[in-house]
Amino acid sequence: MQTVKMVISGAVNSGKTEFIKTISEIEVVSTERRASDDTKLIKKETTVAMDFGRIAISKDLVLHLFGTPGQKRFDFMWEILSEGMLGLVILVDSTRPETFRETNRIIDFFISYRDTPYVVAANKQDRPNAWSPDELRLALRQPPHVKVIPCVAIDRESVKNTLLELLYVILDRSAEG
Amino acid sequence: MALVGNIQDFGLSDFLYLVDRGYKTGCLHLKRGNDAAVLFFEKGKLVFASQGTGGQKGDLLVQLGKITPQQLEQARQLQSHNGNGMSLSQALVSGNIISQEELQQSLQTHIEEAVVYGLFGWPDGEFRFEHGQKPEADTPVMPVPVPVEHLIMEGVRRIDEWGRIKDRIPSTDMIVRFVDQPGEKAKGVKLAPEEWRVFARINGKDTLAMIAQKTNLSDFDVCRVVYGFATAGLVEVVKKPTAPRGAADVPRVKRSLVSRIISRIEKM
Ligand SMILES: Nc1nc2c(ncn2[C@@H]2O[C@H](COP(=O)(O)OP(=O)(O)OP(=O)(O)O)[C@@H](O)[C@H]2O)c(=O)[nH]1
Ligand SMILES: [Mg+2]
């Protein structure tokens, strides 16, 4: 049995748990806790450690989805989770510009570590006051070759589309065989 | 739909960059306590700005001593004869009340120095950008819209603490290089002598610390200047390439494997 891994990252409350829940075939193994420290101001439940979801590709191939914890004090998990990943989805809460700098910090972390294929998902596009993907690209200063995809993590088609867009980036970089 | 946020988290200079690169038309409303300001943009360039809750209109030019109240009235009448299409500034110029150069010069000086530069000093404040909102007909817009790059540079000259700079330049051990196509951008920027000194040292190899040494400027000054260049989109600040470790430890995945995952997810 071969397993491959994708990582779903992003600032606190960007929608990582929701994204994985929407597409995973198993009940998401999440470690939600009542939020402590600063996070409490934003939401009641937050992910500590990580989220884990799974999609069976075939009898002998499984795709694992790992969501990184949002809170800063779990940063050490990122490196462990990113080990051997196929690609990365960076979720951004498009309605909260106060998280854009943190989002950049997360992108920098993963990208400077190794040249991982990634896409930015402009999440919560169903909300009023969501910044458009084009506006997010400028706000996050992402170069033209990085895809910034409109996303609604509570909508299955939208999550599928985001994963597929990432897979096309991975496909472009893949080796023959 | 409006873009909303706080300039504490998403700074005014970041916003100007967005307006410029996004080629935006609309009005940025800023609010801080009892103070307020509006900035109008047309296709990414600044056409008017005013501070205060009242919102200055045509009488601004009277206050600036550029025209008399009678001349203002004359221009307004000319406007109403011409229907809605004519702006106050167009009426002033076509009515030979003031030359376009003089109008531009006095408005631009006032807007930049009395309004916009001061706004860079706001540590916080709510912003709301209304797409497509245009100035009212009685607003004395600048005949020639002003590119935002040099506003950004001027705003950055007013930064006196590390906080904001650290966001983009976390260490002086980083390298500065020109972006691939600054194109027209460099033209809009008017550099001060010490900024030129830094500009001339950017070569895509030297770190900020090295530039500071070579120019005899402090680390802070160099970082502040480079922060301005970066915010205006002229240069980028990148990490020094480390020992090659990236490529080797990411085995390239096989095309057939990726294709299998794609077809599975397409069918979900
Ligand atoms: N309207 C809307 N709400 C969303 C969307 N995605 C997530 N949410 C909501 O946003 C909140 C945060 O989502 P989570 O999935 O818990 O975010 P997270 O990234 O896992 O957060 P942490 O684990 O705390 O870092 C929840 O209330 C979600 O239901 C979306 O696309 N649209
Ligand atoms: Mg979560």
Side-chain angles (χ1 to χ4, degrees):
Chain A
M1 170 75 66
Q2 188 180 2
T3 60
V4 289
K5 159 160 102 175
M6 285 195 197
V7 172
I8 316 298
S9 193
V12 173
N13 210 40
S14 53
K16 302 174 290 290
T17 302
E18 206 70 59
F19 186 98
I20 295 175
K21 259 193 208 159
T22 301
I23 196 83
S24 174
E25 292 174 332
I26 55 162
E27 187 82 3
V28 171
V29 184
S30 192
T31 32
E32 298 282 298
R33 287 282 177 305
R34 291 198 83 79
S36 63
D37 53 49
D38 308 346
T39 316
K40 201 159 44 189
L41 302 171
I42 313 171
K43 59 191 305 209
K44 287 204 190 71
E45 305 248 287
T46 187
T47 303
V48 296
M50 62 183 186
D51 300 305
F52 174 69
R54 181 180 187 276
I55 299 169
I57 304 300
S58 61
K59 277 200 217 76
D60 56 354
L61 180 62
V62 184
L63 173 64
H64 286 172
L65 299 173
F66 288 90
T68 60
Q71 291 177 91
K72 280 208 176 69
R73 65 197 167 92
F74 290 100
D75 282 7
F76 66 91
M77 290 290 300
W78 294 2
E79 195 161 337
I80 303 171
L81 288 176
S82 66
E83 198 74 36
M85 66 177 154
L86 212 53
L88 172 72
V89 176
I90 299 283
L91 285 169
V92 193
D93 182 339
S94 312
T95 67
R96 293 183 55 228
E98 61 270 38
T99 63
F100 296 170
R101 283 190 193 149
E102 171 66 5
T103 305
N104 269 130
R105 194 177 74 90
I106 295 169
I107 296 175
D108 278 354
F109 172 86
F110 282 109
I111 300 317
S112 65
Y113 184 58
R114 44 175 90 94
D115 186 24
T116 305
Y118 74 102
V119 296
V120 175
N123 196 27
K124 309 197 188 181
Q125 286 293 315
D126 57 321
R127 289 273 197 82
N129 285 343
W131 294 41
S132 72
D134 283 346
E135 285 154 356
L136 275 175
R137 172 190 301 287
L138 293 169
L140 298 171
R141 301 196 178 219
Q142 291 296 302
H145 68 266
V146 173
K147 292 186 194 171
V148 183
I149 301 153
C151 180
V152 178
I154 47 187
D155 174 66
R156 193 171 158 93
E157 284 304 313
S158 179
V159 172
K160 257 177 69 177
N161 178 58
T162 305
L163 285 179
L164 286 169
E165 288 290 350
L166 173 60
L167 282 158
Y168 299 144
V169 176
I170 299 168
L171 189 67
D172 268 352
R173 297 227 217 142
S174 61
E176 280 311 314
Chain B
M1 245 173 343
L3 299 177
V4 292
N6 194 303
I7 54 172
Q8 183 174 22
D9 312 306
F10 193 73
L12 185 57
S13 50
D14 291 322
F15 206 92
L16 292 178
Y17 175 87
L18 180 97
V19 163
D20 174 46
R21 294 301 156 102
Y23 212 56
K24 296 214 176 284
T25 296
C27 180
L28 179 66
H29 299 256
L30 296 171
K31 198 168 172 299
R32 179 164 194 264
N34 293 325
D35 208 352
V38 288
L39 293 88
F40 286 94
F41 299 93
E42 181 80 41
K43 295 192 181 127
K45 296 194 164 90
L46 184 72
V47 291
F48 187 74
S50 73
Q51 194 169 350
T53 41
Q56 275 159 325
K57 295 286 158 54
D59 42 5
L60 170 66
L61 290 164
V62 178
Q63 284 163 31
L64 292 174
K66 288 291 151 192
I67 57 172
T68 64
Q70 292 75 17
Q71 286 174 318
L72 177 59
E73 209 36 55
Q74 194 188 330
R76 282 175 176 158
Q77 266 166 24
L78 194 60
Q79 257 185 305
S80 56
H81 278 304
N82 278 276
N84 289 335
M86 188 181 249
S87 73
L88 181 67
S89 299
Q90 283 166 338
L92 285 163
V93 173
S94 66
N96 289 320
I97 298 167
I98 184 171
S99 73
Q100 168 160 331
E101 293 70 37
E102 195 180 356
L103 183 64
Q104 178 72 24
Q105 209 252 329
S106 55
L107 282 173
Q108 188 172 342
T109 308
H110 169 79
I111 287 172
E112 289 179 358
E113 289 175 12
V115 183
V116 179
Y117 297 161
L119 298 177
F120 282 104
W122 287 17
D124 56 68
E126 289 157 31
F127 69 74
R128 189 179 87 248
F129 183 78
E130 294 288 352
H131 288 110
Q133 187 188 344
K134 300 210 170 173
E136 287 166 33
D138 195 38
T139 309
V141 295
M142 291 184 278
V144 184
V146 173
V148 301
E149 296 86 35
H150 89 272
L151 300 176
I152 292 175
M153 278 311 292
E154 187 57 42
V156 168
R157 288 183 190 120
R158 281 144 211 266
I159 292 181
D160 56 3
E161 32 93 34
W162 273 105
R164 186 142 284 178
I165 294 174
K166 281 256 154 67
D167 282 334
R168 196 153 293 148
I169 309 179
S171 107
T172 56
D173 201 30
M174 297 180 81
I175 288 173
V176 194
R177 63 174 188 221
F178 291 109
V179 296
D180 289 340
Q181 278 159 334
E184 290 293 292
K185 295 294 150 199
K187 287 187 200 156
V189 183
K190 295 187 207 113
L191 298 185
E194 72 175 35
E195 291 161 355
W196 273 116
R197 277 162 70 195
V198 175
F199 200 76
R201 289 286 179 187
I202 294 172
N203 61 8
K205 287 190 223 90
D206 287 355
T207 62
L208 288 143
M210 286 152 87
I211 294 174
Q213 217 170 40
K214 289 182 181 168
T215 52
N216 257 324
L217 294 165
S218 70
D219 280 1
F220 177 78
D221 283 335
V222 169
C223 288
R224 184 174 48 79
V225 169
V226 169
Y227 175 86
F229 295 158
T231 308
L234 298 173
V235 304
E236 52 193 1
V237 180
V238 294
K239 287 202 183 112
K240 253 203 310 206
T242 44
R245 97 205 230 211
D249 64 9
V250 194
R252 281 178 74 194
V253 287
K254 288 212 179 104
R255 187 161 269 268
S256 57
L257 179 107
V258 184
S259 299
R260 275 164 76 195
I261 305 175
I262 290 176
S263 48
R264 168 75 176 94
I265 291 183
E266 278 171 345
K267 290 193 200 86
M268 282 183 87

